[in-house]
């Protein structure tokens, strides 16, 4: 061919040099992808809950506080382990995988539900919380601070949690 054949050693050395750079780049890329996946990967409720050690099987009680946004009546419901409603609520919450959602501290939260829902899970000495208002962010709290998540079909899911809670028997809160 034109220019004559390239000396064998030179092309091999060039390839080696290139492949080492490529290998490093590849490793960096893999690490980056794994990190991103770890940060944004959907996770089950057990792993999503803020704070370590959340175990649905060890939760003895869930308290649901519904705060009406339109100045209506709030309600508080308590579910104890062993009650059908307790299992149904747990199943509903565990039916989703939670996708980390990084919420700006000053972000305006939109409210699309008629109530703010605050769930408190009692597990021995520990308690964990899950709050939703209908906007994209579902906030979970534990001894490790709070974490924010989103889910697919968020509106329908959050509405279904609220609907389920509104169907339950409850004690009316006395407004002072």
């Amino acid at each position: 061919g034109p220019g004559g054949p390239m000396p064998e050693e030179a092309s091999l050395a060039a390839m080696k040099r290139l492949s080492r750079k490529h290998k490093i780049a590849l490793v960096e890329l893999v690490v980056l992808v794994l990190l991103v996946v770890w940060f944004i990967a959907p996770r089950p409720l057990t792993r999503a809950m803020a704070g370590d050690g959340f175990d649905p099987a060890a939760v003895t009680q869930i308290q649901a506080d519904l705060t009406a946004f339109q100045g209506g009546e709030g309600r508080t419901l308590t579910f104890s382990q062993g009650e059908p409603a307790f299992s149904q609520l747990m199943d509903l919450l565990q039916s989703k995988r939670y996708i980390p959602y990084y919420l700006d501290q000053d972000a305006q939260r939109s409210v699309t539900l008629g109530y703010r829902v605050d769930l408190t899970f009692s597990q021995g000495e520990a308690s964990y919380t899950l709050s939703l208002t209908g906007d994209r962010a579902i906030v979970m709290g534990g001894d490790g601070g709070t974490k924010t998540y989103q889910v697919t079909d968020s509106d329908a899911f959050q509405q279904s949690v609220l609907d389920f809670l509104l169907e339950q028997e409850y004690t009316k809160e006395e407004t002072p």
Side-chain angles (χ1 to χ4, degrees), residues 28-112:
E28 283 174 352
L29 186 68
V30 167
V31 168
L32 187 70
V33 166
L34 286 174
L35 272 175
V36 167
V37 164
W38 189 81
F39 273 113
I40 64 168
R43 50 203 69 181
L45 181 66
T46 44
R47 289 215 0 257
M49 192 59 79
D52 290 330
F54 177 70
D55 176 10
V59 172
T60 51
Q61 187 181 296
I62 306 171
Q63 180 175 313
D65 291 295
L66 304 183
T67 311
F69 283 113
Q70 275 69 46
E73 242 180 344
R75 38 176 100 169
T76 295
L77 306 109
T78 305
F79 305 99
S80 298
Q81 195 173 32
E83 295 174 4
F86 177 96
S87 310
Q88 287 170 301
L89 181 56
M90 266 303 188
D91 290 347
L92 185 58
L93 296 171
Q94 292 193 76
S95 69
K96 283 289 182 188
R97 295 183 78 77
Y98 295 84
I99 305 154
Y101 178 50
Y102 296 97
L103 188 70
D104 188 28
Q105 286 306 307
D106 314 314
Q108 281 295 302
R109 305 289 302 275
S110 60
V111 173
T112 59

Side-chain angles (χ1 to χ4, degrees), residues 54 56 65 72 75 85 116 118 129 134 137 149 151 154 163 173:
F54 177 70
D65 291 295
R75 38 176 100 169
R116 173 190 165 94
D118 291 295
T129 58
Y149 293 92
V151 294
S154 188
D163 289 346
E173 288 189 2

Side-chain angles (χ1 to χ4, degrees), residues 2 26 31 39 44 59 84 89 106 108 111 120 125-126 128-129 136 151 160-161 166-168:
L26 203 64
V31 168
F39 273 113
V59 172
L89 181 56
D106 314 314
Q108 281 295 302
V111 173
T120 305
E125 293 297 296
Y128 299 88
T129 58
R136 268 174 74 183
V151 294
S160 70
V161 172
L166 290 174
E167 286 162 13
Q168 309 304 312

